[in-house]
Amino acid sequence: MKSLKLLLLLLVFQMQAQQGGMWIPSLLQGMNEREMKNLGMKMSVEDIYSVNKSSLKDAVPHFNGGCTSEVISPKGLILTNHHCGFDAIQTHSSVKNDYLTNGFWAYKMEDELPNEDLEVTFIVRIEDVTAKVLEGIATLTSEADKQKKIQENIASLSKSLPKESWQENKIRTFYEGNQYMLFVTETFKDVRLVGAPPSAIGKFGSDTDNWVWPRHTGDFSLFRIYADKNNRPAAYSKENVPYVPKHFLPISLDGVAEDDFTLVFGYPGRTSEYLPAVAIEQIVNELNPAKIEVRDKALKVQDGFMRKDNAIKIQYASKYAGIANYWKKWIGETQGLKKSNAIEIKKKQEAAFQDKVVKAGKQAEYGNLLADFEKNYKEIAPYALSRDYFIEVVLRNTELLSVTYKMYQLEQLLNNKGEQAFNDRKTNLINGLGEFYKDFNAAVDEKVFEQLIDLYIKKSPKQFVPESLNNVNIKALTAEVYGQSALVDYKDVRELLTGDSKTVIEKLKNDKAYQLVREMADKFTKEVAPKYDEINLRISSLQRTYMKAQLELNKEARNFPDANSTLRVTYGKVKGYEPKDATIYKPFTYLDGVLEKYIPGDYEFDVPKKLIDLYNAKDYGIYGKNGKMPVCFIGTNHTTGGNSGSPAIDAQGNLIGLNFDRVWEGTMSDIYYDPAICRNVMVDIRYVLFIMDKYAGAKNLIDELKIVHPKQNISTTKIKKLRYKKR
Ligand code: ARG
Ligand code: ASP
C-alpha cells in the first residue's frame, strides 16, 4: 500500500515535472522530445523545426514584433488574435465604417486592406553563436567593458555571418548572457487585413473577462502576406502577390479532449523565472501596487468618457484596452504570487542553492550572490519606484505629457547632435503626430492629468519630484497647463514646430506643458536613470552569474531560458484546474456560455443578433459537436505576452486552437510557474471557422484551408462535400 502511494506520488511528480518552460525550437532533441512523446506527441522534433525541410516553424511568423501568427493557407493567409489585429482594424474604422463594431470581411482579394506599419517576420534558421559572441571578453575585467565588447561582436557578426540579401541576422541572448543564438529572418511588410469578427465576438467579455476563465471570446482576426513576383519580401505594391509559404498548418476539426497533447508555438516576450526572492518582494509590495494605482485612475477617467460618447469610445478603445490589460495582469500576478507562496518557496530554493554551492566548493565564485542581490535590490528600490512612476505617469498614461516628452527629446537631440538631426526629427514629428492627435481628446486627458500628477507628487519618492511641484495647487496647475499649452492641439503644435531650432526651442520654453515636462524629465534623466542603470547593470551581472551557477549546479533541473521575444515551443495537455476550495473548472466552454453571459446593449457582453439566431437554430455546420458549439479551452502550456495568436497544435501538427490569454489564478507564471493552476487560454479553431463560415459567410476563405479529421481519417474532399451539404 505504502509503496503504491509512493509510486503514485512519483508519477504525479513526474507529470508535473514535465510541465512548464519555453524551449528553443532548434534544441528539442533529448529531454524535450522524450517529454513531448510521453505527453502523447506523434511528430518528431524535425517536424517542428528543421533547416533541411519545411517544418512547423515555417508557418509561424512573429506578428508585428508583439504577437504571433500562423499561416493557414497556401496563399499566405494568416491567423492571429483580434486584439493583435486591433490597431489595424481600428485604423480602418470610422463612425461611418465601424469595423470594430461590425466586423470586416474581404470576400475578394481586391478588398483586402493594406496597413502602413504592419509586418510579419519568419525564422529561416537558428544557430548557436555563443563562442563567437564571447570572443575576446575573458581578458576584460570591468562589466561595462565586457558588455561593450559583446555589443561590438554582435554588431560585426550580424554583418558578417552568411545570409541572403533580403534576409536579416539577429543575435539574441539566452540564460541572461550565458548563451547567444543567431536568427536568420525574413520580414514581409505588405500585410493586409482580410477579416475580423465584430468586437462583440472578437473581444466578447472585454476587460471584465480579460485574464479570466471561463472564457467565451472569439479572439481572432485574419491577414494576408503579400510578396513580390519572386515570393520575397517587398514594400506594399499593387503588383504584389499572395505569399506562397514553405509550410501552412492543416486544421483539425476533431477537437480536443481533456489530457490531449498540445503544443503552443510562438514568440513569448519576457519572463523573469529566475529572480531572487528579494526582487519578487519588491514587485509584490512596491512596484506592482504603484503601477496598478496609476492605471486604476487613468482607466476610471477614460471609461467615464467612453461610456457617454461613441466617438471617444472609438478614439480610446485601443488605448484603453492597452492600459487595462497590464493593469489587470499586475493585480492577478500580485495575488497569485502571494497565494502560491512564491516568495517563501524561492527562499527555500535559495537556501538549498547555498548548500549546493558549499558542497561543490564554489563559495568563492557563487557564495556571495544572494547577499549581493539583497544589497543591490535595497539600493535600487527608490530609483526603481521613481522610474516606474515616471514611466507610468509621463510616458504611458498622460497623453499630453508623453507627446511633450517627445519635444523634450527633440531639444536634447539639438544639444547633442546639432541642427541637422534636429530638423530631421522635427519633420518626422510633424508628420507622425497626425496619427496621435486623431485619437487625442484634450478633455479626457486633462482629467487623467489631474489625477496622475497628484499621485506622482504624493506617492513617488520625494527627492526626485521637482521642487516647483511641492505644495502646488493641482486644479490650478491642470487648468493652466491645458488652457495654455499649444501641445493640446495638432494645428498649434505644427505652428509651434515652425521655424529654426532657436525659434522652436524659444517657443517650447514658453509653453506651460513643456516647462513642466522639462523639469520632471530633467530630474528623471539626471538623478534617477543614471543611478538606476548603474545598479541595474550590477544586478544583471549578478543574475548572469546566478544563472550560470544554476546551470552548473542544478544540471538535472529543467532549466529553460527566460522569454526574450524569440520563437519558442511550449507543450502540455488540455486540462482543467481548481481555482479555489471546492471549485473545479472544466477545460472547455461552449456557445451556451456566451448566451448565459449575454447582456443586451452592454458594451462588453452584448451578442450580435445573427449569432443568437445561429445558436437558436443550432446551425453549426460541420463545426459543432453533439449539438454544441465549442468556444474556448485551456491547457498547461507555459505562455506569456507575445504568445497571443500562437497556434495550438495537436499531436500530429494540425491546428486546433489559437492562444490568446492566461487564467486569473495563473498570471504570475511570468515570475513563478505553478503547474497546478497556471493555464493558457485558447479559442477553439472550430469556433473560428464557424464564425468565418456560418456567421460571416466568408466561404472564399474557408475554401483556401486544408481541413482534416486526423482521428476519423476523412479525406479533405469528403469534408468539403459535407460542408456544402450542411449549409
Ligand atoms: N490578456 C490578453 C493578453 O495579455 C488579452 C488582452 C487583450 N484584451 C483586452 N481586453 N485588453 O494580451
Ligand atoms: N494575451 C497575451 C498576449 O497578448 C498572452 C498572455 O499574456 O498570456 O500575448
Side-chain angles (χ1 to χ4, degrees):
M1 199 53 204
K2 222 179 182 173
S3 61
L4 193 70
K5 242 187 186 166
L6 216 80
L7 196 76
L8 270 174
L9 221 84
L10 202 78
L11 260 169
V12 169
F13 178 75
Q14 267 202 336
M15 250 196 56
Q16 297 213 332
Q18 290 175 3
Q19 317 281 325
M22 309 163 164
W23 307 93
I24 304 173
S26 53
L27 305 176
L28 298 171
Q29 297 92 340
M31 182 199 67
N32 295 129
E33 185 170 19
R34 277 194 305 278
E35 287 185 354
M36 290 192 279
K37 295 236 156 109
N38 275 343
L39 287 163
M41 185 178 79
K42 299 281 185 291
M43 297 176 279
S44 75
V45 294
E46 276 273 300
D47 296 324
I48 300 172
Y49 174 92
S50 169
V51 265
N52 305 314
K53 56 169 195 158
S54 68
S55 55
L56 291 182
K57 74 121 169 61
D58 297 315
V60 187
H62 208 175
F63 188 83
N64 222 24
C67 281
T68 305
S69 52
E70 51 276 0
V71 190
I72 54 169
S73 94
K75 295 180 197 160
L77 188 64
I78 55 172
L79 185 61
T80 188
N81 288 144
H82 185 263
H83 76 264
C84 297
F86 202 86
D87 272 328
I89 306 166
Q90 189 211 18
T91 305
H92 292 293
S93 290
S94 59
V95 174
K96 198 167 127 253
N97 270 328
D98 190 348
Y99 301 141
L100 281 179
T101 305
N102 306 317
F104 167 81
W105 299 96
Y107 295 100
K108 308 190 289 299
M109 280 195 190
E110 303 87 86
D111 296 338
E112 298 176 354
L113 299 172
N115 301 285
E116 237 169 67
D117 297 303
L118 187 57
E119 56 183 41
V120 298
T121 301
F122 287 90
I123 309 285
V124 181
R125 62 175 187 276
I126 308 173
E127 272 166 45
D128 191 321
V129 291
T130 311
K132 292 184 177 122
V133 169
L134 297 183
E135 213 165 86
I137 71 150
T139 51
L140 304 172
T141 45
S142 94
E143 183 57 27
D145 286 348
K146 284 187 190 170
Q147 287 312 314
K148 195 165 151 253
K149 178 73 183 160
I150 288 174
Q151 288 318 316
E152 284 167 13
N153 286 352
I154 287 179
S156 80
L157 285 168
S158 305
K159 280 200 201 111
S160 62
L161 290 169
K163 67 168 183 67
E164 303 294 343
S165 60
W166 64 90
Q167 299 175 334
E168 255 183 285
N169 282 337
K170 294 178 190 151
I171 295 174
R172 297 283 180 268
T173 175
F174 293 74
Y175 296 107
E176 334 272 350
N178 285 288
Q179 186 176 26
Y180 289 86
M181 303 292 268
L182 165 75
F183 294 81
V184 181
T185 64
E186 283 179 7
T187 296
F188 290 81
K189 293 178 187 290
D190 186 352
V191 181
R192 303 184 197 168
L193 177 63
V194 173
S199 292
I201 292 171
K203 217 188 147 184
F204 181 73
S206 193
D207 294 297
T208 299
D209 269 11
N210 192 21
W211 300 109
V212 164
W213 183 255
R215 191 65 156 275
H216 297 88
T217 314
D219 197 345
F220 78 95
S221 60
L222 292 150
F223 290 81
R224 192 184 305 280
I225 306 171
Y226 282 79
D228 69 11
K229 292 195 293 298
N230 301 315
N231 207 32
R232 298 212 180 118
Y236 169 79
S237 157
K238 274 208 182 93
E239 313 304 313
N240 286 349
V241 292
Y243 170 66
V244 180
K246 292 197 204 101
H247 182 68
F248 65 93
L249 300 179
I251 297 177
S252 163
L253 285 193
D254 278 348
V256 281
E258 184 144 19
D259 290 323
D260 274 0
F261 171 81
T262 54
L263 180 153
V264 172
F265 207 4
Y267 297 81
R270 223 169 77 97
T271 57
S272 317
E273 311 282 351
Y274 300 92
L275 287 179
V278 48
I280 303 179
E281 264 168 338
Q282 199 166 84
I283 292 171
V284 168
N285 299 328
E286 291 186 49
L287 303 179
N288 273 1
K291 294 189 290 189
I292 290 164
E293 192 181 11
V294 171
R295 292 197 178 194
D296 224 3
K297 305 243 165 179
L299 288 168
K300 284 214 175 86
V301 173
Q302 293 188 356
D303 182 61
F305 281 93
M306 286 165 73
R307 280 179 190 269
K308 273 186 265 162
D309 185 326
N310 203 38
I312 295 182
K313 188 174 144 191
I314 293 176
Q315 278 185 314
Y316 278 76
S318 183
K319 285 186 276 199
Y320 184 91
I323 302 172
N325 193 34
Y326 265 60
W327 161 77
K328 197 165 174 186
K329 190 212 154 192
W330 291 325
I331 299 176
E333 179 178 274
T334 310
Q335 282 180 13
L337 288 171
K338 285 185 186 160
K339 198 176 158 200
S340 62
N341 283 324
I343 295 171
E344 286 314 308
I345 293 172
K346 286 268 177 180
K347 281 187 178 157
K348 283 209 188 92
Q349 289 172 352
E350 285 166 13
F353 169 78
Q354 203 68 11
D355 282 350
K356 274 198 181 161
V357 170
V358 175
K359 279 209 191 87
K362 292 267 181 179
Q363 287 102 312
E365 225 178 316
Y366 304 134
N368 291 329
L369 275 173
L370 294 166
D372 286 345
F373 271 130
E374 288 284 335
K375 208 172 90 221
N376 281 285
Y377 272 103
K378 201 164 258 160
E379 196 182 339
I380 208 171
Y383 301 99
L385 186 61
S386 185
R387 177 174 174 271
D388 270 352
Y389 271 108
F390 186 79
I391 292 174
E392 286 297 310
V393 172
V394 179
L395 304 185
R396 295 257 166 84
N397 297 310
T398 318
E399 294 168 88
L400 179 63
L401 298 185
S402 58
V403 76
T404 306
Y405 185 75
K406 293 201 163 85
M407 307 298 150
Y408 176 79
Q409 290 176 310
L410 185 67
E411 190 191 347
Q412 302 301 309
L413 195 69
L414 177 68
N415 297 342
N416 299 331
K417 296 252 167 82
E419 191 79 24
Q420 183 61 46
F422 174 89
N423 283 327
D424 292 347
R425 173 78 63 88
K426 197 183 79 170
T427 316
N428 276 344
L429 270 176
I430 297 176
N431 298 332
L433 287 176
E435 268 297 301
F436 168 83
Y437 281 101
K438 175 174 153 270
D439 289 333
F440 175 75
N441 183 305
V444 179
D445 196 54
E446 180 169 352
K447 284 279 174 247
V448 172
F449 174 89
E450 191 180 323
Q451 302 270 329
L452 300 203
I453 202 74
D454 188 44
L455 273 185
Y456 183 83
I457 295 169
K458 294 196 180 124
K459 300 258 179 112
S460 78
K462 282 278 162 301
Q463 63 271 39
F464 306 124
V465 175
E467 284 86 56
S468 72
L469 289 179
N470 290 335
N471 309 319
V472 76
N473 178 321
I474 305 271
K475 276 219 170 327
L477 176 71
T478 308
E480 200 184 351
V481 168
Y482 284 78
Q484 190 268 335
S485 175
L487 289 144
V488 294
D489 185 273
Y490 189 34
K491 209 173 109 251
D492 295 345
V493 174
R494 270 177 303 190
E495 211 169 287
L496 187 120
L497 289 176
T498 326
D500 59 11
S501 61
K502 213 168 138 247
T503 330
V504 171
I505 298 295
E506 198 66 34
K507 283 189 273 187
L508 278 173
K509 285 186 173 163
N510 282 319
D511 190 278
K512 202 61 212 170
Y514 193 74
Q515 290 166 2
L516 176 66
V517 166
R518 199 160 182 269
E519 276 189 275
M520 294 169 83
D522 270 347
K523 273 273 182 204
F524 176 73
T525 51
K526 290 184 186 139
E527 292 173 37
V528 180
K531 197 73 195 163
Y532 176 88
D533 291 344
E534 181 198 316
I535 308 168
N536 198 39
L537 193 67
R538 290 205 295 270
I539 291 179
S540 311
S541 156
L542 290 172
Q543 197 74 54
R544 177 167 340 117
T545 313
Y546 189 41
M547 192 73 240
K548 179 164 170 273
Q550 294 187 59
L551 292 173
E552 240 171 76
L553 303 176
N554 295 339
K555 280 222 175 66
E556 71 292 353
R558 299 166 76 257
N559 291 308
F560 58 91
D562 268 319
N564 58 358
S565 290
T566 62
L567 185 61
R568 301 291 180 90
V569 167
T570 160
Y571 47 85
K573 294 174 166 211
V574 177
K575 200 93 204 141
Y577 70 109
E578 295 183 23
K580 50 182 177 263
D581 191 29
T583 309
I584 295 175
Y585 280 159
K586 292 191 189 171
F588 309 106
T589 60
Y590 295 92
L591 197 54
D592 309 63
V594 173
L595 275 296
E596 280 170 13
K597 288 179 176 172
Y598 174 37
I599 306 173
D602 184 72
Y603 95 109
E604 295 186 297
F605 291 100
D606 201 7
V607 179
K609 171 157 187 318
K610 180 145 188 208
L611 189 57
I612 301 175
D613 291 344
L614 288 166
Y615 173 74
N616 287 334
K618 301 283 172 280
D619 185 6
Y620 303 147
I622 57 172
Y623 312 108
K625 194 172 180 189
N626 306 330
K628 284 166 76 106
M629 186 66 235
V631 175
C632 292
F633 64 101
I634 51 175
T636 59
N637 311 287
H638 187 179
T639 55
T640 186
N643 267 124
S644 274
S646 299
I649 294 170
D650 71 3
Q652 288 95 347
N654 305 305
L655 186 65
I656 46 175
L658 185 59
N659 182 75
F660 71 100
D661 211 1
R662 278 169 286 165
V663 303
W664 183 244
E665 294 76 14
T667 44
M668 83 294 191
S669 65
D670 292 346
I671 294 173
Y672 175 68
Y673 180 86
D674 180 348
I677 50 171
C678 289
R679 297 288 179 272
N680 68 312
V681 185
M682 298 155 274
V683 49
D684 195 301
I685 203 65
R686 291 169 295 180
Y687 190 53
V688 172
L689 298 198
F690 161 74
I691 296 295
M692 288 167 69
D693 190 343
K694 287 286 172 178
Y695 180 87
K699 319 275 179 212
N700 55 319
L701 301 178
I702 300 280
D703 285 338
E704 282 184 38
L705 312 175
K706 180 174 175 191
I707 296 176
V708 296
H709 268 292
K711 288 184 190 164
Q712 295 167 30
N713 217 351
I714 307 179
S715 75
T716 314
T717 4
K718 175 94 187 287
I719 296 171
K720 211 168 218 167
K721 272 197 199 131
L722 266 174
R723 185 155 75 75
Y724 280 95
K725 214 165 83 199
K726 283 218 176 181
R727 271 183 188 154

